[in-house]
Amino acid sequence: MRITERKMAADLACDYHTASCNSPWLLRLPVIRQVNYSEQVQELMDEGPRKIDSTSDIKEFQKITDAPAMTLVQALSRRRSSRDFSAKPVALQKLGELLGLSNGLRSRVGNALDGGRNAPSAGSLCSCEMYVLALNIEGVERGLYHYDVGAHGLKQIKLGDFKEWVSRMLLLQSELCQAGALIFLASDQGRLRSKYGPRAYRLGLLDAGHVSENIYLVCAALDLAVTATGGFIDDELNTALGLDGVDDCVVLVLAVGEPL
Ligand SMILES: Cc1cc2nc3c(=O)[nH]c(=O)nc-3n(C[C@H](O)[C@H](O)[C@H](O)COP(=O)(O)O)c2cc1C
């Protein structure tokens, strides 16, 4: 990319951010002090976890019953990024606990009775979807999956050994393909935009950030190695997952696996 092109791209990114700021006219309106959701937004909020169309069966995880207990302080003090993964496969139940505790239904842990999730989200729209590339998970065929929150299971998107693709085409750091799984955090910008307009952009990034930190902390508790990376090829990944890259787009990748 030439310098002028790079400058144009930087200006665009700046415009993008500016577009997510409050418009001066909005700040003057008394209506912003009221909660006044449209019918369509209310429907989205009541809808619950998003269901991704797929004909495949769901591989359900077992209940999250005896996930290792650790105090928050212990998890915080153990949390770190590690890029050293062993060849040992990640147990299926561990992957289920990681996904469920990070961004699953609150009712699956403890006694919560509502439909809330384990990560907060703007407008309770749960904009952060989790996709999984299983590279080395015990009892799961290698391939791409979507984490179905309602069913607490994996819905198959495409089976196959994607390790070569990950190291050559997808990630800028090939060592991360030694992980047991890659978790792709996708932002449902379309859902957020219907309520927040251009501000959806920043809220979607924040929603994904909350899920990412939960993943880090749960990995610390489950003794899994983890590293987030923003170094991936957007088009390559969005296309593989069937996302349009605009209304739905991957914003962060987390590599997780058994530690060395
Ligand atoms: C949004 C985000 C993007 C990151 N991208 C990368 C990356 O591309 N490659 C990498 O090795 N680590 C990446 N990291 C991990 C950081 O390098 C790491 O969190 C930082 O060095 C602090 O280390 P710690 O997590 O062990 O405390 C990323 C972390 C975050 C939160």
Side-chain angles (χ1 to χ4, degrees), residues 217-240:
L217 291 175
V218 176
C219 277
L222 295 174
D223 199 20
L224 287 170
V226 58
T227 283
T229 175
F232 57 90
I233 309 298
D234 297 282
D235 284 351
E236 193 70 30
L237 184 50
N238 288 325
T239 307

Side-chain angles (χ1 to χ4, degrees), residues 79-83 172-173 175-176 212 216 226-232 251-253:
R79 187 214 62 78
R80 57 187 34 81
S81 300
S82 166
R83 296 135 193 105
L172 305 184
Q173 281 165 280
E175 74 266 26
L176 299 183
S212 168
Y216 261 97
V226 58
T227 283
T229 175
F232 57 90
V251 292
L252 193 64
V253 175

Side-chain angles (χ1 to χ4, degrees), residues 37-169:
Y37 301 135
S38 71
E39 228 170 84
Q40 186 208 2
V41 166
Q42 196 59 57
E43 266 170 35
L44 279 175
M45 289 169 73
D46 295 341
E47 200 178 271
R50 188 173 161 190
K51 291 183 182 61
I52 303 285
D53 288 340
S54 164
T55 49
S56 80
D57 292 339
I58 290 204
K59 187 165 188 73
E60 279 181 42
F61 295 114
Q62 282 170 18
K63 278 192 182 144
I64 303 173
T65 43
D66 46 279
M70 183 181 277
T71 66
L72 179 59
V73 173
Q74 283 169 329
L76 282 166
S77 68
R78 289 182 57 161
R79 187 214 62 78
R80 57 187 34 81
S81 300
S82 166
R83 296 135 193 105
D84 297 322
F85 302 106
S86 82
K88 188 179 160 200
V90 175
L92 179 63
Q93 180 62 4
K94 243 184 179 182
L95 178 68
E97 284 164 4
L98 174 59
L99 298 171
L101 292 170
S102 303
N103 195 25
L105 290 178
R106 196 153 51 197
S107 55
R108 292 191 187 271
V109 247
N111 301 317
L113 292 173
D114 59 4
R117 301 274 281 266
N118 291 329
S121 67
S124 200
L125 289 173
C126 310
S127 72
C128 183
E129 291 291 332
M130 298 201 288
Y131 293 84
V132 175
L133 176 64
L135 293 162
N136 189 14
I137 306 291
E138 209 171 51
V140 178
E141 256 191 276
R142 287 179 184 167
L144 282 169
Y145 298 85
H146 173 249
Y147 174 62
D148 188 308
V149 172
H152 185 47
L154 291 177
K155 239 179 173 184
Q156 180 188 309
I157 296 174
K158 196 172 172 57
L159 293 181
D161 187 348
F162 290 93
K163 203 167 178 172
E164 188 75 6
W165 172 72
V166 170
S167 75
R168 287 168 54 116
M169 308 288 290

Side-chain angles (χ1 to χ4, degrees), residues 235-254:
D235 284 351
E236 193 70 30
L237 184 50
N238 288 325
T239 307
L241 294 173
L243 307 180
D244 65 13
V246 180
D247 278 348
D248 288 287
C249 53
V250 175
V251 292
L252 193 64
V253 175
L254 291 111

